[in-house]
């Protein structure tokens, strides 16, 4: 695989042409002490400045990625009666097939089909297509390993021991979900009035999300107030920081806003592997990251409740986080200032 381009004058800050940070997992895992500490700092800046990066040399075989994408594609192509039992499922049901985000509350119609499968602590999976269970089990295990490695390095990047976030969120019993997304082509694009949107702006409810796509671009991330189309380095994964990372890091790292656009001519597909805390963990900021005099920015919330709340309501940017944000008010002589 080609090594990522390095911007001139910044040899230690690898990034794509658009400036999206690129993290080389091989260096994080096997680099010597100096390379590792540089890579950990780079990862920390990627989380702080972007909440979004690409990971290369990640060790998940390309043919496993393709097999996962193909299995999802086959599932979307099955006759409806073979998926019917999963189509009325609610947000906390372990297998769910549907269109839009949560059609019970969407209000708008999103141009998207999805399959969601809880994958850890236990894999749940439709019986058809035949090969899906085997592929999903392998894909879940490999991507979970990768996400846990990234979590350990992210913990270090916050100046904490590598295992601190894992211990806080009880990641030994982590929650993981696999999602297949299919966005059919739509001639009316997002710039047209009434044009189709795949998924509206949101942040993810978990800790970290890993995503790859079928060669058709459409994922946009908000960076410095602007939407940027994410173009992957071949063979890399996108990594998206989620709300639980924002909570546990006491707001040092933020869940990044992103959305999916629909292509005018080609079907777009993406495969998502999302890592979250143990569903029963009460997620609170790591106390070492309190900044005096403000202290902690978030109240504790059980991840299961957070996820259910986010998944049961209309997708509304980062609205779900307000549920747990500590509201502060400073009373001044003339007005009430909200921080
Ligand atoms: C998601 C998501 C984006 C995409 O599934 O949460 O943001 O490109 N998907 O499919
Ligand atoms: Ni998302």
């Amino acid at each position: 695989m080609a090594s990522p381009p390095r911007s001139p004058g910044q040899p230690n800050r690898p990034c794509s042409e658009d400036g999206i940070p690129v993290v080389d997992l091989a260096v994080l895992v096997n680099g010597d002490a100096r390379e590792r500490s540089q890579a950990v700092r780079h990862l920390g800046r990627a989380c702080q400045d972007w909440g979004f990066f690409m990971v290369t040399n990640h060790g998940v075989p390309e043919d496993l990625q393709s097999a996962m994408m193909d299995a999802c594609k086959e599932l979307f192509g099955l006759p409806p009666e073979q998926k019917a039992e999963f189509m009325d499922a609610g947000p906390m049901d372990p297998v769910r097939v549907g269109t839009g985000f949560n059609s019970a509350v969407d209000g708008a119609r999103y141009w998207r089909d999805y399959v969601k499968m809880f994958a850890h602590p236990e894999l749940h999976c439709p019986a058809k297509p035949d090969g899906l269970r085997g592929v999903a089990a392998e894909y879940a295990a490999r991507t979970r390993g990768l996400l846990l490695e990234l979590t350990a390095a992210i913990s270090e990047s916050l100046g904490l021991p590598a295992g601190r976030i894992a211990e806080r969120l009880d990641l030994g019993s982590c929650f993981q979900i696999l999602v297949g997304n299919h966005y059919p082509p739509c001639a009316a694009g997002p710039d047209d009035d009434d044009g189709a949107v795949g998924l509206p702006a949101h942040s993810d409810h978990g800790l970290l999300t890993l995503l790859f796509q079928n060669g058709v671009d459409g994922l946009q991330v908000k960076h410095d107030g602007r939407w940027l189309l994410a173009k992957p380095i071949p063979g890399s994964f996108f990594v998206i920081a989620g709300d639980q990372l924002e909570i546990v890091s006491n707001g040092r790292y933020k869940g990044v806003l992103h959305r999916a656009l629909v292509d005018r001519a080609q079907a777009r597909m993406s495969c998502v592997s999302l890592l979250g805390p143990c569903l029963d963990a009460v997620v609170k900021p790591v106390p070492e990251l309190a900044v005096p005099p403000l202290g902690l920015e978030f109240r504790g919330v059980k991840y299961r409740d957070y996820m259910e709340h986010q998944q049961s309501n209309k997708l509304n940017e980062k609205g779900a986080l307000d549920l747990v944000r500590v509201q502060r008010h400073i009373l001044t002589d003339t007005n009430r200032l909200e921080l």
Side-chain angles (χ1 to χ4, degrees):
M1 185 190 308
S3 56
R6 290 168 193 262
S7 14
Q10 295 188 320
N12 302 323
R13 291 190 176 199
C15 61
S16 72
E17 268 170 40
D18 309 314
I20 297 174
V22 177
V23 169
D24 183 338
L25 191 83
V27 177
L28 275 179
V29 175
N30 298 322
D32 65 31
R34 194 186 57 87
E35 289 168 335
R36 272 206 82 244
S37 72
Q38 262 177 11
V40 167
R41 273 203 306 279
H42 176 59
L43 174 64
R45 279 192 301 260
C47 291
Q48 185 147 352
D49 300 346
W50 285 78
F52 184 74
F53 56 90
M54 295 183 226
V55 60
T56 56
N57 296 317
H58 46 68
V60 179
E62 232 167 274
D63 53 358
L64 180 59
Q65 288 180 245
S66 315
M68 186 65 208
M69 179 79 78
D70 290 348
C72 289
K73 194 169 172 185
E74 229 183 297
L75 183 139
F76 291 127
L78 290 176
E81 60 274 16
Q82 294 203 27
K83 299 177 278 191
E85 66 173 296
F86 307 114
M87 289 173 66
D88 288 328
M92 299 312 277
D93 286 322
V95 180
R96 210 168 150 207
V97 175
T99 50
F101 170 67
N102 178 356
S103 48
V105 297
D106 277 346
R109 246 184 102 74
Y110 302 125
W111 213 248
R112 168 203 192 216
D113 305 314
Y114 64 83
V115 54
K116 299 187 179 189
M117 300 169 270
F118 287 13
H120 197 263
E122 197 191 333
L123 176 67
H124 298 260
C125 180
K128 294 268 175 217
D130 288 339
L132 178 61
R133 172 166 284 275
V135 172
E138 173 79 11
Y139 187 75
R142 297 297 289 255
T143 55
R144 189 164 66 247
L146 167 58
L147 288 161
L148 290 168
E149 272 168 344
L150 286 169
T151 302
I154 287 174
S155 193
E156 287 182 81
S157 79
L158 289 162
L160 303 169
R164 188 74 173 104
I165 290 183
E167 166 199 83
R168 231 15 227 183
L169 305 182
D170 196 2
L171 294 187
S173 311
C174 64
F175 173 75
Q176 184 187 21
I177 187 169
L178 301 180
V179 184
N181 292 307
H182 169 236
Y183 306 96
C186 181
D191 300 333
D192 304 323
D193 288 344
D194 259 355
V197 172
L199 259 183
H202 67 282
S203 56
D204 290 347
H205 56 76
L207 181 69
L208 290 176
T209 303
L210 200 67
L211 183 147
F212 77 96
Q213 58 191 30
N214 65 338
V216 180
D217 294 334
L219 174 64
Q220 290 192 321
V221 288
K222 201 154 200 187
H223 178 65
D224 282 346
R226 283 200 216 125
W227 286 109
L228 180 80
L229 183 70
K231 297 193 179 163
I233 290 176
S236 67
F237 281 108
F238 291 126
V239 183
I240 301 170
D243 293 345
Q244 305 311 307
L245 185 60
E246 181 159 347
I247 297 172
V248 79
S249 72
N250 197 32
R252 282 264 296 276
Y253 298 160
K254 305 260 192 293
V256 67
L257 274 182
H258 56 285
R259 65 184 183 186
L261 305 186
V262 173
D263 195 86
R264 284 171 193 278
Q266 292 169 276
R268 177 166 183 266
M269 283 192 64
S270 67
C271 287
V272 162
S273 173
L274 177 147
L275 179 78
C278 170
L279 281 173
D280 291 316
V282 175
V283 182
K284 291 184 197 157
V286 172
E288 300 92 295
L289 299 177
V291 183
L294 292 178
L296 299 180
E297 298 289 326
F298 299 96
R299 291 183 290 112
V301 63
K302 195 184 264 197
Y303 178 51
R304 184 192 303 278
D305 297 339
Y306 188 91
M307 176 177 154
E308 185 163 10
H309 172 78
Q310 196 257 16
Q311 292 280 302
S312 309
N313 288 283
K314 249 187 212 186
L315 268 189
N316 167 27
E317 302 215 331
K318 295 182 64 170
L321 260 186
D322 292 338
L323 186 73
V324 290
R325 204 184 296 281
V326 173
Q327 298 294 332
R328 300 176 198 284
H329 304 281
I330 293 181
L331 289 173
T332 62
D333 290 347
T334 49
N335 56 9
R336 196 159 190 250
L337 183 71
E338 199 166 290
L339 287 181

